[in-house]
Amino acid sequence: EVQLVESGGGVVRPGGSLRLSCAASGFTFDDYGMSWVRQAPGKGLEWVSGINWNGGSTGYADSVKGRFTISRDNAKNSLYLQMNSLRAEDTALYHCARLATYDSSGYYLSWGQGTLVTVSS
Amino acid sequence: DIQMTQSPSSLSASVGDRVTITCRASQSISSYLNWYQQKPGKAPKLLIYAASSLQSGVPSRFSGSGSGTDFTLTISSLQPEDFATYYCQQSYSTPPHFGPGTKVDIK
């Protein structure tokens, strides 16, 4: 069974940092690209970032470019999102999602339940 | 960026109804259009990829059609478990934007 389990969310002050993690199991992790997709409370889905199978290709939404960094450790079957200079508008549930191919973009076969990030003073 | 719109934003329907949701892209995306279902408090679930391909395990009452800029998701006979929010997503180019969602609730 495919499982994606996010962790690392919490409450942080504006300007602060957090590192999200996603532990993957049930599939060959390094065969697939991965993404982070967020959902603000009561709102729709927003793509944040994507990474290809070996970390050699990444992409970011304009709203997070220069502040967030996506990475992966295939030996640990884990995906990460380093979030710096956090803003109130980054408050959301952050989902880890498995792409359908090895690429850094595409459609999402599997999703985690998400980890909640709240940016507030 | 390619922007996605959906209509309607919400609809009320009864069990057994035929339901159609429309998604429009701001420029041609060929058939790079996907549909997801999300229930409250749950992660999204892939229903349709490449505009019309049914994801494994998804009931055949769900179907997708369209190409270019205009796409539809159809539920042929609405079931109680289908009350949810539906999102389209383009995978033609980065950023792979989602539509704003269509909430389907009970009439």
Side-chain angles (χ1 to χ4, degrees):
Chain A
E1 180 194 3
V2 172
Q3 283 200 312
L4 298 170
V5 180
E6 303 92 338
S7 60
V11 180
V12 61
R13 295 190 185 279
S17 298
L18 275 178
R19 188 193 195 209
L20 306 184
S21 299
C22 171
S25 61
F27 64 99
T28 304
F29 185 67
D30 57 8
D31 276 352
Y32 295 92
M34 299 291 295
S35 281
W36 290 98
V37 177
R38 68 186 180 184
Q39 190 165 27
K43 302 297 184 182
L45 301 169
E46 180 189 14
W47 176 78
V48 173
S49 182
I51 188 168
N52 75 333
W53 69 280
N54 67 355
S57 175
T58 59
Y60 298 92
D62 285 346
S63 57
V64 308
K65 202 172 291 183
R67 300 188 298 123
F68 290 11
T69 302
I70 191 171
S71 62
R72 64 190 295 161
D73 185 337
N74 288 346
K76 295 183 178 180
N77 288 349
S78 293
L79 176 72
Y80 305 102
L81 186 68
Q82 177 66 44
M83 304 188 297
N84 298 331
S85 303
L86 282 160
R87 306 167 179 167
E89 54 265 35
D90 296 318
T91 293
L93 186 66
Y94 284 73
H95 295 279
C96 162
R98 175 174 69 132
L99 285 152
T101 71
Y102 57 85
D103 209 347
S104 59
S105 190
Y107 61 90
Y108 306 103
L109 288 175
S110 315
W111 298 68
Q113 292 295 320
T115 186
L116 182 62
V117 172
T118 303
V119 184
S120 174
S121 54
Chain B
D1 292 11
I2 298 175
Q3 303 302 320
M4 309 301 294
T5 57
Q6 287 182 234
S7 60
S9 56
S10 66
L11 65 91
S12 295
S14 301
V15 172
D17 284 353
R18 182 181 182 87
V19 169
T20 298
I21 298 168
T22 297
C23 176
R24 177 165 288 173
S26 60
Q27 65 187 73
S28 178
I29 57 171
S30 185
S31 295
Y32 291 88
L33 191 284
N34 315 296
W35 291 98
Y36 302 85
Q37 175 194 66
Q38 187 178 33
K39 297 180 181 179
K42 300 292 186 182
K45 172 188 172 183
L46 177 67
L47 298 176
I48 301 283
Y49 62 95
S52 61
S53 295
L54 192 68
Q55 172 66 0
S56 175
V58 174
S60 58
R61 62 181 179 272
F62 291 92
S63 64
S65 64
S67 66
T69 60
D70 295 315
F71 302 87
T72 58
L73 172 71
T74 300
I75 310 172
S76 61
S77 178
L78 198 66
Q79 298 302 300
E81 60 268 30
D82 300 337
F83 292 96
T85 300
Y86 294 84
Y87 295 93
C88 62
Q89 177 237 344
Q90 68 86 8
S91 51
Y92 181 81
S93 66
T94 300
H97 281 313
F98 293 85
T102 295
K103 185 177 181 180
V104 177
D105 61 20
I106 301 172
K107 193 172 191 177

